[in-house]
Amino acid sequence: MPLLPLPQISGSPSIFRQVMDQVGGVILGKPHPIRLALACLLARGHLLLEDQPGVGKTTLAHALARTLGLQFQRIQFTSDLLPADIVGVSVFNGGGKGFEFHPGPVFTQMLLADEINRAPPKSQSALLEAMEEQQVTVEGVTRSLPDPFFVIATQNPREQAGTFPLPESQLDRFLMRIHLGYPDAAAERALLQGRDRRDLIAELPALLDAEALLALQHQVDQLHVSEALVDYLQRLIAHTRDPHHYARGLSPRAALGLLAAARAWAALDGRDHVIPEDLQTILPPVAGHRLAPAEGTGMSPDRLTRQLIEAVAIP
Amino acid sequence: MNRVRHTAEPGVGEGPMNWLVAALVVLLAPHFLTQPTWVVGLALLAVAWRFLAVRRSVPLPGRWSLAALAFMATAGVIATHGTVLGRDAGVSLLLIMTGLKVLETRNQRDAMLTIFLGYFVVVTHFLYSQEIPMVAYMVVAMLLTTMVLIRLNAPGPPPGLREQAGLAGRMLLQALPVMLILFLLFPRLPGPLWGVPQDEPTARTGLSDSMSPGSISDLLQSDAPALRARFPDGPPPAALRYWRGPVFSDYDGRTWRAGQAFMPATDPDPSDAVGEIQYSVRLEPHRHRWLLALDPPASAPEGRRLNADYVLFSPRPVHRVETYDLTTVPGAALEVELSAERRQQALHIPDTAGPRARELAARWADNGTAPEDIVEQAMRYFNEEPFHYTLSPPHLPADPVDGFLFDTRAGFCEHYAGSFVFLMRAAGVPARVVTGYQGGEWNRAGGYLLVRQSDAHAWAEVWLEDRGWVRVDPTGAVAPERIELGIRAALSHEENLPAFLRRGDSFSGLAALRIQWEYWRETTAYYWNGWVLGFGPERQRELLARLGLGGLDWRGTVALMAGLLVLVAAVFSLAFLWHNRRPERDPLARLYRRFTKRMARLGTPPLPHEGPRDFADRIARERPELHESVAHFTRIYEALRYGPDPDPDLFRILRTRLRALP
């Protein structure tokens, strides 16, 4: 049977491929979380990494920043961290110029907020406000943050001692929450036998720059979403809002986030349109930290989102 | 405490619980009239406790306390009713258990169970009253219970009152066809449908199977309907409205009883009859087997029989409204040939009774006066002597016949009929007492004659050579207006009349309105009794016959019922499907549906949540030989369905690809 010519319907994913390969060379055996992180970035969302210490959260953030050619800052959150330590402070300058603003580490393109749940709520909210508004106000003066501005926050599992868990409203600021998890045996062996990660990161070439990234983000925004797909998205959202299924459903902000993330995922796949599978793939990291199980059912976020996908038929 | 809890069941919120409590109060309260106070009180107390548990966080009783409570309450029911079976004990038990169930209602499942118990409680009211107001109350209770059901299962924010009531009403209306089919076609058992016989109150107004002084005067106080009769050719003249009931031939000096009349009736001789009147009767239940018929009945309708005294009998006691068609032949001669035995029966009087009356009768019968003249003489006697018609006669001394005829001379139909028959027998004329009703009220709105218990009457029959039994009404000789105009006219003003008999006195606007209302209520009751309460096996057969299904036995009826129920279910399912149909006008979706159907036939059906690409990947794994063609098909479909500006040619290609698939 002769095959009919397959119509040309996909663009070239080569630049994404390169980025993912390069970061994957540092974080071994984790192609899916890396890809999700990249999608999150392309969708202009912030990323929350939740996992045990030492599985490579910081390394991932660092490798991404290097590869994408972004300025990188890191704040280690501690219990005595003050808001000024994040956004900066005005200092009196003896040279007669009056007060001078010393910008804090938040003035960067990629910010790693390490162990965000170790800081008290006041400091947490200082950062979260910056994430939402993409600007900070210090002593009555509002200052814009750079563009792109991307926060990767890491968080230890809640039950660990000395943590201030993020309230739901602040969790909602993160487009995705992902887990890295332990590497598998082969990846771990390669890690153990390989070179020091810090050296590797230092040698990584920048494949993009801020300008190029902004252009890519813009392209992702334009990706086609069909009526059929919006139908499907609306069905998913409606299902979460039934209190028999979930105590807390997905907000319109979450719905927008799902769509943006699905577009980014489709773009990473080299497509110019979104398909239901894109939504299904990005649903667990985008919806997992926003859904609350219905009363009396202690279900894990993974099970919750899987249940959601299985419960809703694709129109 | 380490208790196993059903964590999967969501608890019941405060709102639905308040609704449940309110509905139960409405459901339980009317049973104060029918059940022991402690039973309803206990059930309502439990409901109140549950309410306080929500409001004031009063702790609920534990499992063991509840079990103890249930045990004690059951013991209480046995102590009160002597049993746990039967209507009263059963309802008591249901009410208590419903109350206790509320106390252990914690989650959704419990609440649903309580609601279903509530529906049972609704039904129990009908065991005690089948009147229309009770039905209206039950409909409201059903609506309320259904509203609670809706409130309990409503997803999302609680629905508004109007929305709840609207949905509940719509649900009840949708249940209506099923209800009608079951009501009309479910096989009917003869006998009472609602009342459980042994529990039925015995004191029920109606004619009695014997007549002693005072037995009819109780009836005259009651405006309860006795029967309703429909005359296709218009109401019969007042003088013909004698409704024949029990006939009494045996007299023991005080009480009249039915004599032996087991033989079937000889057919009435219609040679002197003046036409015939056809009519149909709806008889109120009276717990006896006799049926009322216009005097004289021509023949028994099917399934009933006329005894030798021309009393119509049903094969079983009349426990619910009974309907039958009859013909009367006014003027027809009854039992022209009287056997010696029967004659003897109709002449017997106790030897010691009524010596003065015997004397009087002997004087009349002197020197072989013709029986007709003796009757004439007696009637003149009642007419000319100062007899007085009254509903409250003075107390009669030891010998009621003599006492009435010579001393008090005040009484009503039973006194006149009884003493007249006595006189006739003493004079050697065979005679007997006939009881029944006389008169009736023509209801123009309904087109039927309403006969009330207050129309109860007793008259006499004498047997005359060649003419058979002839009706003689001695009351007519005393108070002719009683026969012509009814009992209201016969009584003088100072009589202590029951209120309902007095209503004709003044036709003020209010009274006229009342009569209008009475008419309307009566008419409704007529149809309600005839078509709902009186819907027995005969009515069912009649209905089926009218629908052209006369030959159907009960198996056929059940089959018809099942068929209709299936039909209703089908109609509702189709309506549901039509309502929720997918917008399949999209040819692309239709094409894809055909594709998935074909794959399902090949053994790989799609999952509802499976995207096209995932589905294609799975087919590729499970059936590698299809991989290429399916992948190709899926890519084109994806482009058409999800891609930007699809090329119209692609659709055509897709259709070709589908045809090429196995």
Side-chain angles (χ1 to χ4, degrees), chain B residues 199-252:
Chain B
D199 286 339
E200 202 63 36
T202 46
R204 181 104 189 197
T205 51
L207 295 173
S208 128
D209 55 2
S210 65
M211 186 181 88
S212 48
S215 62
I216 287 187
S217 65
D218 291 342
L219 282 186
L220 299 177
Q221 307 287 330
S222 160
D223 72 337
L227 63 90
R228 297 175 179 84
R230 197 178 261 287
F231 292 87
D233 306 325
L240 288 182
R241 295 178 190 170
Y242 278 87
W243 296 92
R244 191 181 182 91
V247 171
F248 301 133
S249 309
D250 285 359
Y251 184 55
D252 65 0

Side-chain angles (χ1 to χ4, degrees), chain A residues 3 224 243 273 276-277 280 309 314, chain B residues 156 608-609 611 613-614 628 642:
Chain A
L3 275 177
H224 178 75
H273 59 271
E277 284 86 342
Q280 292 180 347
I309 291 172
I314 298 177
Chain B
H609 65 271
R613 186 169 288 200
D614 285 347
E628 208 162 315
Y642 301 108

Side-chain angles (χ1 to χ4, degrees), chain B residues 321-397:
Chain B
V321 177
E322 182 126 349
T323 310
Y324 45 92
D325 295 326
L326 275 175
T327 307
T328 183
V329 276
L334 304 178
E335 206 175 5
V336 184
E337 306 281 322
L338 192 65
S339 71
E341 198 185 337
R342 298 265 299 157
R343 186 185 174 86
Q344 191 55 43
Q345 188 184 27
L347 283 172
H348 173 79
I349 40 177
D351 295 336
T352 52
R356 291 162 74 191
R358 281 162 191 274
E359 216 173 285
L360 177 67
R363 244 186 292 136
W364 290 342
D366 209 15
N367 48 44
T369 320
E372 281 89 343
D373 295 337
I374 295 175
V375 172
E376 184 78 7
Q377 199 111 39
M379 290 298 268
R380 207 176 312 130
Y381 178 78
F382 279 120
N383 192 2
E384 286 167 2
E385 296 292 318
F387 280 98
H388 177 59
Y389 185 87
T390 173
L391 277 187
S392 36
H395 181 69
L396 285 174

Side-chain angles (χ1 to χ4, degrees), chain B residues 424-455:
Chain B
M424 287 302 107
R425 288 184 173 190
V429 181
R432 60 193 184 192
V433 176
V434 182
T435 57
Y437 300 94
Q438 195 279 319
E441 196 179 312
W442 183 251
N443 185 323
R444 268 185 305 275
Y448 60 86
L449 191 73
L450 166 68
V451 178
R452 298 176 187 274
Q453 296 296 352
S454 56
D455 293 320

Side-chain angles (χ1 to χ4, degrees), chain A residues 1 3-4 6-7 9 224 226 228-229 242-244 269 271-277 280 296 309-310 312-315, chain B residues 7-8 108 153-156 608-614 628-629 632 635-636 638-639 641-644 650 653 657 660:
Chain A
M1 186 178 66
L3 275 177
L4 285 162
L6 188 64
I9 49 175
H224 178 75
S226 68
L229 195 98
D242 184 338
H244 287 283
D269 209 27
R271 263 180 286 113
D272 62 352
H273 59 271
V274 183
I275 60 173
E277 284 86 342
Q280 292 180 347
I309 291 172
E310 284 171 5
V312 179
I314 298 177
Chain B
T7 44
Q108 184 96 4
N153 288 287
H609 65 271
E610 203 169 28
R613 186 169 288 200
D614 285 347
E628 208 162 315
S629 45
H632 203 86
R635 282 301 164 91
I636 302 172
E638 252 182 30
R641 189 149 178 79
Y642 301 108
L650 276 181
I653 298 171
R657 305 280 346 161

